[in-house]
Every structure is written in structure tokens, then in C-alpha cells.
Amino acid sequence: MTLLSFTTLLPPGSDGTSAVGTLGPPGTSSEVAATQFARRSAGPDGPAAAVRLFDTYEEAGAALRAADVAHVVVANAYKAINHFYMDPALELTNVFVMDTPLYGLAARRGATPVPDSPTIATHPAPEPIIAQLLSRKHTTHKVLHSTSTSAAARAALDGTADLALTTGPCAALYDLEFISRTRPIRMVWSVFARSVPDGSGA
């Protein structure tokens, strides 16, 4: 996993990170990115902030507005990230580029052979790479959208889907095995905090 760059936009005198929110459950690429952000923000000697996981990015944003977390890390590939950018209660404070954990198509360990037209659970953002990873013998497939890569892995585990497009950490967490090659996704991540009043009076 490569952290290519890390651009800090925090204004001088800003308080350090206390807790970082992002998309869960455990095993998501967002969790890895938020953990990297917490470690980098802490500096070489400081303790890393706690990472709190939420069912959706929107729930993480609500926790940020309520001051339950100090920052929220959102993948720029998320289709509704514009709501974070446009929200006057939030402001962009950090941007970094990081490779995700390895993605691949995974099945329940010991499962029967993959059907000719498998149902594949995936978060919508990485869905385009299914065609890159799926064997040529599977000329068709059905997509089942999940709220995260971790939720996709659970769908493969419980039999809701034949396969999951998921990450290495999620595959290990849910005891799945990859049936395809794996690859990372180079991703831009945006970090939001609560807006700071500009101090101008009426």
C-alpha cells in the first residue's frame, strides 16, 4: 500500500485530531485510510486518534456536525461526496492519495463452483473493476449493491451473493478466498472538519 502524498490544509493554530470517523464496518478501505490519516496527524511521537466506524458516510458526517468526531475521511470516488463539499457546516481540511488494500473477487471458503452467471456483491464505487477481474467463462453476471466492501463480503459469507468484490482485510475477516487476481485502487481521500467561523461581524 502506497501513501503517495499528504497535503495538510489545516489553518495555523488548529487543534489536533481527537477522533476520526469514516465508513465501516471493520475491513473497509475507508478504515485503512482513516487509520493512516490518524497516524500522520499525530506526528512521530503523538498518540494516533481513535477511528470510529459508521454504517454510512452520512452517519459519519452527522457525528462530525454533532462534534462526536473531529474529522471524517471520505473516498473521493463516493458518488455523494459533493454533499460534504457543499455543506456550509463542514470544510475540507486535508487531502491525500493512498492505494487501497488489494481488491479481488472472493467466495465463501469451500463453496461449490461459481455459477456461470454469478451474483456479485459490491459497493458501487469499485464496481467497474468486476469486468477486469471476472473470468472470461463468466460472460454475464448480476450485481448486488452493498453499503461497503465489508458488507459485500458478508453477503458472500451468508450466501446472499455468490461472490464479493472486496478487499484483502475483509476477505480475511470473513474467511473468504479470492478466486480472481487482485489489484489495488489508487484513490484520493478527502478529510472534512467542522467549519470554523471567520470571526467577521455583521
Side-chain angles (χ1 to χ4, degrees), residues 119-139:
T119 297
I120 304 173
T122 180
H123 186 275
E127 181 181 341
I129 69 172
I130 289 176
Q132 301 169 24
L133 300 176
L134 195 59
S135 169
R136 289 183 180 179
K137 70 179 180 180
H138 302 295
T139 55

Side-chain angles (χ1 to χ4, degrees), residues 198-202:
D198 60 14
S200 61

